[in-house]
Structures are given as C-alpha cells and as structure tokens.
Amino acid sequence: MRILLVEDDEHLVETTARALRSQGWVVDCTARGEPVPRSLREDAYDILILDIGLAGIDGFETLRRVRSEGIAVPVLLLTARDAVEDRVRGLEGGADDYLVKPFALTELVARARALVRRSQARTSNQLQLARLRIDQEARRAYIDNEPLALSAREWDVLGFLMARAGKVVPKEHIALASNAWDQGVSDNAIEVCLSRLRAKIEPGGVQLRTVRGLGYLLEEIA
C-alpha cells in the first residue's frame, strides 16, 4: 500500500509515518497542499491522509482541487477542529473519513486500512497487459493461465509496475516498491531483480524497457 501524507507538523509527520511504515506500507510526505493533485496524478497512491490546517492552501482547498480533477483516491482528513460544521464540510467536499487530533496511531492505521479495503472492493483486483495477468488479492501472476514463479521482491515490483503500465517509473520509486529489500537497497540489487523479472514476463508479450536517464517502462510488445 502506498500512502501520501500531507502534514506540516514535523513531529506528527515522523510518528505517523513510522506507524504506517511499521505495517509494511510505503509513505511519501509533504508539508504543502499545492503539489498534491499533481502527485496523485503521477503516482498510484492508495490513500491520501490530509491535514486541514496547512500553510498555503489548507486541506479543504487541497481536497477541492483533488476532487475537481476527478481523482478518486480515498481521503482521510486530519483535523484539530472538532466543530461539527468542519467535519460536515470535509465529508461533503469529498473526504471519506476524518480523525480529530490528538488521535491514537492504532486508530489511524485501522481507518486507513479500512478505507483502502473499501476502495479496492469497488475495483477489480485483476490487472492485465497483453497475456500477462496479475491477481492482486491472491498475489499471483499468470501468463495465459500458467502461474509464474516469482520471489516476494519480484511480485512487489511487478505489481507496482503493472499499476503504472505505460508510464516511465524512476528507479528510486522501484526501490520503494518492496519491503523485502533492506533500507538503502543498491542499484545492482534492483537491476538484478528487474533482469530476472524481465525474462519471466517477456513470454507474455510484455517488455520492461529501460528509458535511459529516466527509469523503466512496462509495456506491451508491439
């Protein structure tokens, strides 16, 4: 699961990100609302955790811009405001849930998991490109109906790339795709994983192409 956390309290960012990462989730953090719509367009985040009281544009305006662009990612609002009208404003503006500060980190984790589970239940767990298909719920990959033997790292990277098929993915993003890697994974380890994965998926009519200086592109073989 990949999370975008928008919060300008440094201490809260640190403790919240640590709690979310302890679940094996990838967490990207920003203190400003302005870049959020672009980030959500460019990367397949599973949930946006958004503080209302931001510097610059606040959480309400950030949420308005996200929804006005048709971005349907689940949104969990964090607010120090316990007024009913603020909660109503957030929910009517397109938020899926909210937490009032101070909150228990265990509750934040539970609410985030529940929101993503509901969102995924509304969408297909199957992704397909040419004859390559992955079942995200079962964590299995197939060419036609033949299962592929994948390591935990290879599965994580393949699922990450399949969700971004047709887009160039930077190497540093691939480094975040799997929790089976140690922190500070080397470029060589990533290259070895991609090379093995490339050989396994090409029979399915799919290529993993290196785009020099930019990253990697998963696409159907023409």
Side-chain angles (χ1 to χ4, degrees):
M1 190 156 91
R2 190 168 185 196
I3 298 169
L4 181 58
L5 172 62
V6 188
E7 169 63 66
D8 58 3
D9 182 318
E10 292 184 7
H11 175 70
L12 188 56
V13 168
E14 181 181 347
T15 57
T16 302
R18 186 187 306 123
L20 296 169
R21 288 170 180 147
S22 73
Q23 305 300 306
W25 301 336
V26 175
V27 183
D28 295 331
C29 306
T30 179
R32 306 281 297 191
E34 288 85 351
V36 169
R38 179 178 178 181
S39 296
L40 294 174
R41 288 195 308 271
E42 293 180 348
D43 290 296
Y45 287 100
D46 297 289
I47 186 171
L48 169 63
I49 299 179
L50 176 63
D51 181 38
I52 288 179
L54 299 171
I57 66 169
D58 66 10
F60 291 129
E61 175 60 18
T62 302
L63 176 62
R64 187 195 67 78
R65 294 185 186 185
V66 167
R67 293 307 190 217
S68 70
E69 294 191 19
I71 300 171
V73 65
V75 176
L76 174 60
L77 287 181
L78 305 180
T79 176
R81 309 173 186 180
D82 197 20
V84 172
E85 55 267 28
D86 286 323
R87 301 201 299 270
V88 170
R89 180 182 175 189
L91 294 171
E92 289 186 342
D96 297 274
D97 200 356
Y98 66 89
L99 268 176
V100 177
K101 300 176 183 178
F103 50 81
L105 291 171
T106 52
E107 183 178 6
L108 174 70
V109 168
R111 285 179 183 254
R113 182 180 284 113
L115 284 179
V116 172
R117 186 166 58 240
R118 282 209 308 262
S119 175
Q120 290 177 341
R122 295 194 296 264
T123 60
S124 173
N125 285 311
Q126 307 282 326
L127 294 175
Q128 183 148 357
L129 184 64
R131 290 160 42 229
L132 174 66
R133 174 175 58 88
I134 69 170
D135 183 327
Q136 298 180 95
E137 184 175 9
R139 291 179 62 84
R140 298 294 302 274
Y142 305 85
I143 292 178
D144 296 328
N145 289 317
E146 292 296 319
L148 290 179
L150 300 175
S151 69
R153 292 178 183 176
E154 291 166 352
W155 161 258
D156 289 340
V157 171
L158 179 58
F160 189 79
L161 291 169
M162 282 285 282
R164 296 156 179 80
K167 296 181 179 180
V168 177
V169 179
K171 181 181 288 186
E172 55 268 27
H173 288 192
I174 293 174
L176 297 173
S178 177
N179 292 297
W181 272 315
D182 295 329
Q183 231 177 1
V185 59
S186 69
D187 286 351
N188 184 63
I190 295 173
E191 292 288 352
V192 169
C193 177
L194 292 175
S195 177
R196 291 174 177 168
L197 186 58
R198 185 179 286 116
K200 292 179 180 181
I201 64 177
E202 280 186 350
V206 175
Q207 65 179 349
L208 179 55
R209 185 158 61 85
T210 301
V211 182
R212 190 172 299 278
L214 295 176
Y216 301 89
L217 175 65
L218 185 70
E219 61 184 0
E220 188 171 347
I221 297 174

